[in-house]
Amino acid sequence: MKKLINDVDSVLVESLEGFAAAHADIVSLDEACRFVRRRVLKPGKVALISGGGSGHEPLHAGFVGSGMLDAACPGQVFTSPTPDQMLAAAQAVDTGAGVLFIVKNYSGDMMNFQMAAEMVTCDNATVLVNDDVAVEDSTYTTGRRGVAGTLIVEKIVGAAAERGGGLAALKALGNSVNNATASMGVALTSCTVPAAGVPTFQIGADEMEMGVGIHGEPGRRRVKIASADEIAAELAGAVLKDLSLQRGSEVILLVNGFGGTPLLELYVMVNAVHKVLAGAGIRAVRHLTGSYVTSLEMAGCSVTAYAADPATLALWDAPVHTPTLRWRS
Amino acid sequence: MKKLINDVDSVLVESLEGFAAAHADIVSLDEACRFVRRRVLKPGKVALISGGGSGHEPLHAGFVGSGMLDAACPGQVFTSPTPDQMLAAAQAVDTGAGVLFIVKNYSGDMMNFQMAAEMVTCDNATVLVNDDVAVEDSTYTTGRRGVAGTLIVEKIVGAAAERGGGLAALKALGNSVNNATASMGVALTSCTVPAAGVPTFQIGADEMEMGVGIHGEPGRRRVKIASADEIAAELAGAVLKDLSLQRGSEVILLVNGFGGTPLLELYVMVNAVHKVLAGAGIRAVRHLTGSYVTSLEMAGCSVTAYAADPATLALWDAPVHTPTLRWRS
């Protein structure tokens, strides 16, 4: 195992400390490293909290800041955070308007966020993200997995929260964005969890895992390596089929690297996905291209489309100031 | 070779077309794919042009936009762009105030940019970047290599150009920033150039290349894999030694991934570099952490420090709006 680390047991804490120091203008780290929070809260705003296993950076801590999340709870690599982390985060960032939990659909995350929701004393609600169209049920889930589409939910709901949206409305918006978001990914190589020390799965030099999950869990099938155009046809095809989009529809397109894929290749994939969209009469009106929801150093990518409408496009475009996403209208 | 591509001969063009489509609000691509340019020019501003071999994305095209570059000329992977690309770019983006070429010190780039400088009819000057302290002379250079520090030169000179700086002043500023910038990197794995189809170099499962170049070219020596703290001590130590910084100095710290290293590890490195800086009484007042100057999918990182003063810190903080870097003061 080749990694830039000191010790497998201290990877997460050291990484969080480096992260918090590098972005001290935006975030602060709870002393016990249980959560990352927005340094300056906005009183009266519904607080957005997400979290999940580490190893998917920049998700979620990279999205803490104005216009997106108020706190993120990191578990160990590919391991759910605990209810006490979520409870501590909720107590720290609730300013009276309540807390919205944004949770990727994994059994461990679901269970722990549910326990936290029962323990917190403030108003709270939960949005469950399950955008991965590759498989129904999987290694770690009942039902579809939550993957890269999570960042689209976090961005749009985050903007609506910043504008003063109430808890119930934000939950409804989150559910609506999730329902209009679909993703599917492919892996060319495995990743290696530091504590395991060996690759999560074995894959041949001429093979790829179609429909892979963001922990390297199995997808639809193991296939021979294909061209970017063929991969785009399968990934974007599955995504468009799930969304049942009519010709003339507009989408936000996220081509997401899993951590070990060069940007050079991700833009080849953008170009390839555009051909699929053009064939379906669909236009990508916003793009995000890069490694945003990763699986450590896994090579591969996912394609996510969100069926945008003018109101949520405006929320996507709204100012955001986080360690990773940063723009103004 | 496992890559998300269609054909090794079309990788660059397809990637550029995906890039230009994804960022059509900021950039446009010359029809013959010879350069990427800022869509909207600022009349009377000195135009900044950089370029070099592809495979280092997001460098340089990701830094084209307001507050940074006016054009970027991409060569084939790890191959210099040609003088006619640079000439065409200069003709396209010069608005009368002249052109400043920002060139990484590689023999091919140097020669071709020099030929372009002799061919262009407008006023022009060149800033040479040679921030890599690992080795004097190397596979592709006479003198030190230009690596990740290039983005610091491009950002600071870009901001000064946006404020109306003249050609001679910008050249002087670029030289001064380059002289106060130092970098050194380490590779854990090789990359594979698409047209070659095999790894650029062989490296043992327990080895790393200390002082590696951004094309996978040899550095100082091949060593056994070490801890993040040990790596940080060597990289940051060499950088600080080169800059001869006094205690109390302030730096901009760039911890740069080479393309195959997870952000989780890059922040472990940030944390490790902070210990080295603290020991030297030096403070990192700005941070940039991520894969910005890459070597395709090579695993590893580089550490860059720029000895900042208040005037250039203000230029670093000045608004920038490019596909990759985007912030406002």
Side-chain angles (χ1 to χ4, degrees):
Chain A
M1 178 175 66
K2 282 183 159 182
K3 291 185 185 291
L4 298 168
I5 62 175
N6 286 308
D7 188 279
V8 294
D9 293 328
S10 62
V11 172
L12 179 57
V13 166
E14 290 178 50
S15 185
L16 286 170
E17 288 180 346
F19 173 82
H23 304 291
D25 52 329
I26 300 176
V27 304
S28 61
L29 178 63
D30 170 73
E31 273 184 17
C33 297
R34 294 169 301 177
F35 59 88
V36 170
R37 56 161 281 186
R38 212 192 277 205
R39 182 169 285 281
V40 180
L41 301 175
K42 187 169 178 178
K45 187 187 84 73
V46 171
L48 265 54
I49 299 178
S50 192
S54 294
H56 306 302
E57 289 71 23
L59 188 80
H60 296 274
F63 304 134
V64 172
S66 172
M68 221 161 157
L69 299 178
D70 291 85
C73 303
Q76 290 295 325
V77 173
F78 296 173
T79 302
S80 290
T82 56
D84 68 292
Q85 291 178 266
M86 301 153 190
L87 183 60
Q91 288 169 337
V93 300
D94 173 43
T95 62
V99 168
L100 183 68
F101 295 111
I102 299 177
V103 184
K104 301 193 301 298
N105 187 34
Y106 294 98
S107 303
D109 289 7
M110 284 284 291
M111 185 179 71
N112 289 352
F113 269 104
Q114 194 171 338
M115 286 178 65
E118 289 165 7
M119 290 157 71
V120 296
T121 51
C122 62
D123 284 352
N124 69 88
T126 297
V127 170
L128 188 68
V129 182
N130 63 349
D131 56 312
D132 190 343
V133 304
V135 290
E136 283 298 329
D137 302 337
S138 72
T139 315
Y140 308 118
T141 67
T142 303
R144 294 172 14 165
R145 302 174 293 215
V147 292
T150 310
L151 96 75
I152 293 178
V153 175
E154 291 177 356
K155 172 66 185 80
I156 291 176
V157 178
E162 211 73 37
R163 290 184 180 183
L167 189 57
L170 294 174
K171 177 184 164 72
L173 174 64
N175 288 339
S176 145
V177 174
N178 176 58
N179 289 338
T181 301
S183 301
M184 188 163 147
V186 66
L188 305 188
T189 66
S190 176
C191 52
T192 296
V193 174
V198 294
T200 302
F201 60 93
Q202 295 298 322
I203 186 163
D206 61 345
E207 291 180 324
M208 58 185 191
E209 180 69 28
M210 183 57 74
V212 70
I214 57 171
H215 311 88
E217 65 268 44
R220 290 186 174 180
R221 62 191 196 285
R222 187 66 59 93
V223 295
K224 294 291 174 193
I225 187 118
S227 70
D229 283 344
E230 290 164 332
I231 292 170
E234 176 145 3
L235 298 184
V239 161
L240 295 182
K241 183 180 173 199
D242 181 78
L243 294 176
S244 304
L245 295 180
Q246 296 189 311
R247 296 185 77 83
S249 298
E250 297 186 335
V251 298
I252 296 174
L253 174 63
L254 164 59
V255 173
N256 173 63
F258 283 141
T261 288
L263 205 46
L264 183 80
E265 294 176 33
L266 294 182
Y267 284 117
V268 170
M269 286 300 300
V270 170
N271 195 51
V273 170
H274 278 188
K275 298 176 209 169
V276 182
L277 295 181
I282 291 164
R283 201 161 69 94
V285 291
R286 298 290 185 279
H287 291 82
L288 192 63
T289 310
S291 293
Y292 293 104
V293 179
T294 63
S295 307
L296 296 167
E297 73 281 10
M298 190 162 86
C301 75
S302 60
V303 172
T304 299
Y306 165 63
D309 57 81
T312 52
L313 259 191
L315 292 168
W316 176 261
D317 290 340
V320 61
H321 188 78
T322 69
T324 301
L325 290 191
R326 210 175 290 192
W327 64 66
R328 53 178 168 172
S329 300
Chain B
M1 179 175 65
K2 282 183 158 181
K3 293 186 184 289
L4 298 168
I5 62 176
N6 286 310
D7 187 279
V8 294
D9 294 328
S10 61
V11 172
L12 180 58
V13 166
E14 290 178 51
S15 186
L16 286 170
E17 288 180 346
F19 172 84
H23 304 291
D25 53 331
I26 300 175
V27 303
S28 61
L29 178 64
D30 169 73
E31 272 184 18
C33 297
R34 294 169 301 175
F35 59 89
V36 170
R37 56 161 281 183
R38 210 191 278 205
R39 182 169 285 281
V40 180
L41 302 175
K42 187 170 177 177
K45 188 186 84 70
V46 171
L48 266 54
I49 299 179
S50 193
S54 294
H56 306 302
E57 290 70 22
L59 187 80
H60 295 271
F63 304 134
V64 172
S66 173
M68 222 161 157
L69 299 177
D70 291 84
C73 304
Q76 290 294 325
V77 173
F78 295 174
T79 302
S80 291
T82 56
D84 68 290
Q85 291 179 267
M86 301 153 191
L87 183 61
Q91 288 169 337
V93 300
D94 173 44
T95 63
V99 167
L100 183 68
F101 295 111
I102 299 178
V103 184
K104 302 194 298 300
N105 187 33
Y106 294 97
S107 304
D109 290 7
M110 284 284 291
M111 184 180 70
N112 289 351
F113 269 104
Q114 194 172 338
M115 286 178 64
E118 289 165 8
M119 290 156 70
V120 296
T121 51
C122 61
D123 283 350
N124 69 89
T126 297
V127 170
L128 188 68
V129 183
N130 63 349
D131 56 311
D132 190 342
V133 304
V135 290
E136 284 297 329
D137 302 336
S138 72
T139 314
Y140 307 119
T141 67
T142 303
R144 295 172 14 166
R145 300 173 295 215
V147 291
T150 310
L151 97 75
I152 293 179
V153 175
E154 292 176 354
K155 172 65 184 80
I156 290 176
V157 178
E162 210 73 38
R163 289 184 181 184
L167 188 58
L170 294 174
K171 176 183 165 71
L173 175 65
N175 288 338
S176 145
V177 174
N178 176 58
N179 289 337
T181 301
S183 301
M184 186 165 149
V186 66
L188 305 187
T189 66
S190 176
C191 53
T192 296
V193 174
V198 294
T200 302
F201 61 94
Q202 293 298 321
I203 186 164
D206 60 346
E207 290 180 325
M208 58 185 192
E209 180 69 27
M210 182 60 73
V212 72
I214 56 171
H215 311 89
E217 64 269 45
R220 290 186 174 180
R221 62 190 197 287
R222 186 66 60 92
V223 295
K224 293 292 174 194
I225 186 121
S227 70
D229 284 343
E230 290 164 331
I231 293 169
E234 177 147 2
L235 298 183
V239 162
L240 295 182
K241 183 179 171 199
D242 182 77
L243 295 177
S244 304
L245 295 180
Q246 296 189 310
R247 296 185 77 83
S249 298
E250 297 186 334
V251 298
I252 296 175
L253 174 63
L254 164 59
V255 173
N256 173 63
F258 282 142
T261 288
L263 206 45
L264 183 79
E265 295 176 33
L266 293 183
Y267 283 117
V268 169
M269 287 299 301
V270 170
N271 195 50
V273 170
H274 279 187
K275 297 176 210 169
V276 181
L277 295 181
I282 291 164
R283 201 161 69 93
V285 292
R286 298 291 185 280
H287 291 81
L288 192 62
T289 310
S291 294
Y292 293 104
V293 179
T294 62
S295 307
L296 297 167
E297 73 282 12
M298 191 162 83
C301 75
S302 60
V303 172
T304 298
Y306 165 63
D309 58 81
T312 50
L313 259 191
L315 292 169
W316 176 262
D317 291 340
V320 61
H321 189 78
T322 69
T324 300
L325 291 191
R326 211 173 293 191
W327 63 66
R328 53 178 167 172
S329 301

